[in-house]
Amino acid sequence: MRTWSEMTTIQPLVSKMLVNSLKKERISHAYLFHGARGTGKHELSILLTKSIFCNNKTDFQPCDNCKECHRIDTGNHPDVHRIVPDGQSIKKEQILHLQKEFTYTGLESNRKVYIITDADKMTSNASNRLLKFLEEPSKLTTAILLTENSQSILQTIRSRCQIMALKPLNPLSIKNKLVEEGLSESNAKLMAALTNNISEAIEISSDEWFANARKIVVQLVEVLQEKPDESLLFINNNWMPHFKERRQLQQGLDLLIIWFRDIIYNYVDNSDSIVFISEQEKIVHSSMNWSREHATKVLSKIMEAKRKLDQNVNPALVMEQLTLQIQR
């Protein structure tokens, strides 16, 4: 999203609030953008930053062609600093380095912006250090924190930010757009359930690894139903060798969530909401194997497993425990 007009089409309320602030030249010293993946947090932070630094903007709209805009796009602007997790977390040393950078005068203006991606992944020490930074704000400094989980950020940090809640995108409109891009109806529906990002959805849909991941998820369900005694063997011999990275494991669990959610949709006769439409007969079979109450409990256990993965718990142990919980 390169213009406020485009951004308004997907996040009308937040865009309107930010545009009004730009028009009145009342930029907050700190923003917290929170919303699900693909709702435009990163794009919004870049657009706002350009609107702050662009020297050729028309009213509040950045030109997108000047040196300032290009350097912000490429991450090379000397007065725009970005922090991303170092491994699984954002560490105290990263915030200390940021503070050190901000003791220097701006290289090209007195303005400075820093963007913290996955701000909920700050360690306790990093959070406390950032809090001290926010407690003494400079009028010419703007902090932009991006997160999918604002409740994991210290309340004292949240209270010092202007909170911008990004609304989820409409899965139906995403699915229709993907169909226009050439995806099948069933594939488009699955991609729309996994991500709000059109480009990412198209990339995933053509990924051979993902196609195999989808098959393995269905196979796991079948093993759990037909040969539960072999489920742990399946996890170690089939699941773990394919889902090698934590990011991949999270995606596998997302597919499991969709499967068990489809079971519940089948119970309440809401077939239009079923995502695995090409495996609908198997969803019906799963409904005969697991009660609606059990499927609901399993969804909770899968979410718990996802949280454990974020907390660096051993992946094989997480999956083995989850498998036993699904069987009960």
Side-chain angles (χ1 to χ4, degrees):
M1 299 292 168
R2 294 188 170 274
T3 69
W4 286 108
S5 296
E6 291 177 340
M7 187 57 71
T8 299
T9 63
I10 64 167
Q11 294 297 342
L13 182 58
V14 169
S15 297
K16 183 179 180 181
M17 293 169 66
L18 290 172
V19 165
N20 286 338
S21 296
L22 288 165
K23 285 180 177 178
K24 297 174 182 178
E25 297 185 351
R26 293 180 182 172
I27 303 298
S28 174
H29 76 280
Y31 292 98
L32 176 61
F33 295 162
H34 75 91
R37 186 179 180 187
T39 48
K41 296 184 296 296
H42 175 73
E43 292 85 351
L44 197 57
S45 69
I46 296 301
L47 185 55
L48 176 59
T49 303
K50 286 181 184 178
S51 297
I52 290 172
F53 282 100
C54 180
N55 292 321
N56 299 324
K57 56 179 173 281
T58 303
D59 295 326
F60 53 86
Q61 180 64 53
C63 71
D64 213 36
N65 289 314
C66 68
K67 180 176 69 174
E68 308 294 330
C69 289
H70 282 308
R71 288 195 296 182
I72 290 168
D73 271 334
T74 57
N76 292 318
H77 197 289
D79 296 324
V80 179
H81 302 267
R82 305 185 195 192
I83 293 180
V84 298
D86 178 10
Q88 296 296 316
S89 62
I90 294 172
K91 299 173 175 59
K92 176 184 175 182
E93 290 73 23
Q94 292 176 271
I95 305 298
L96 285 172
H97 178 72
L98 176 70
Q99 286 179 294
K100 184 178 179 181
E101 288 289 329
F102 275 62
T103 60
Y104 306 134
T105 304
L107 294 179
E108 300 189 11
S109 71
N110 289 326
R111 262 216 173 272
K112 284 181 178 285
V113 169
Y114 60 96
I115 301 169
I116 301 180
T117 301
D118 293 333
D120 54 287
K121 294 184 178 177
M122 286 187 288
T123 63
S124 296
N125 287 335
S127 295
N128 289 326
R129 180 55 61 176
L130 179 66
L131 178 59
K132 292 181 180 179
F133 201 15
L134 291 173
E135 286 174 339
E136 301 173 358
S138 163
K139 290 183 179 179
L140 297 176
T141 296
T142 300
I144 305 175
L145 280 61
L146 314 180
T147 181
E148 294 180 26
N149 183 12
S150 63
Q151 295 306 310
S152 293
I153 296 175
L154 286 178
Q155 171 58 32
T156 44
I157 289 179
R158 297 204 307 268
S159 66
R160 285 165 175 77
C161 297
Q162 186 171 344
I163 298 178
M164 298 288 183
L166 279 66
K167 70 180 183 68
L169 304 189
N170 185 342
L172 180 59
S173 63
I174 295 172
K175 187 209 80 171
N176 291 339
K177 177 65 177 175
L178 291 173
V179 170
E180 290 175 12
E181 294 289 336
L183 272 67
S184 67
E185 188 83 11
S186 60
N187 211 14
K189 197 166 188 178
L190 178 59
M191 293 304 113
L194 285 172
T195 177
N196 290 318
N197 189 304
I198 299 294
S199 299
E200 182 182 43
I202 294 171
E203 183 180 344
I204 293 173
S205 68
S206 60
D207 186 355
E208 184 179 351
W209 177 91
F210 178 79
N212 289 327
R214 179 175 174 171
K215 290 177 184 176
I216 290 172
V217 168
V218 176
Q219 288 169 2
L220 173 61
V221 170
E222 291 173 340
V223 169
L224 285 165
Q225 292 174 162
E226 310 298 337
K227 301 177 181 179
D229 292 342
E230 298 179 14
S231 57
L232 291 181
L233 191 65
F234 183 87
I235 289 295
N236 288 293
N237 291 348
N238 300 80
W239 183 283
M240 297 308 300
H242 188 73
F243 299 97
K244 295 177 182 178
E245 301 174 10
R246 289 179 188 271
R247 174 186 58 82
Q248 294 174 336
L249 268 170
Q250 292 281 12
Q251 202 164 55
L253 291 177
D254 286 338
L255 287 168
L256 266 182
I257 285 174
I258 293 170
W259 188 276
F260 279 90
R261 203 167 57 199
D262 280 355
I263 292 174
I264 295 172
Y265 287 143
N266 183 68
Y267 267 112
V268 297
D269 293 325
N270 187 3
S271 58
D272 289 342
S273 294
I274 290 176
V275 174
F276 278 103
I277 52 179
S278 58
E279 284 95 4
Q280 198 152 352
E281 286 186 12
K282 294 179 180 179
I283 294 293
V284 172
H285 183 66
S286 290
S287 301
M288 295 169 64
N289 193 78
W290 290 305
S291 69
R292 177 179 169 183
E293 290 74 19
H294 183 71
T296 303
K297 289 178 181 177
V298 168
L299 284 175
S300 176
K301 295 301 181 182
I302 298 173
M303 293 302 298
E304 184 181 330
K306 286 174 66 65
R307 286 192 292 271
K308 287 180 180 177
L309 288 176
D310 279 338
Q311 294 164 0
N312 252 357
V313 179
N314 181 277
L317 185 63
V318 170
M319 284 308 304
E320 288 173 2
Q321 185 180 37
L322 176 62
T323 301
L324 293 173
Q325 289 168 335
I326 293 175
Q327 287 180 15
R328 291 172 189 162

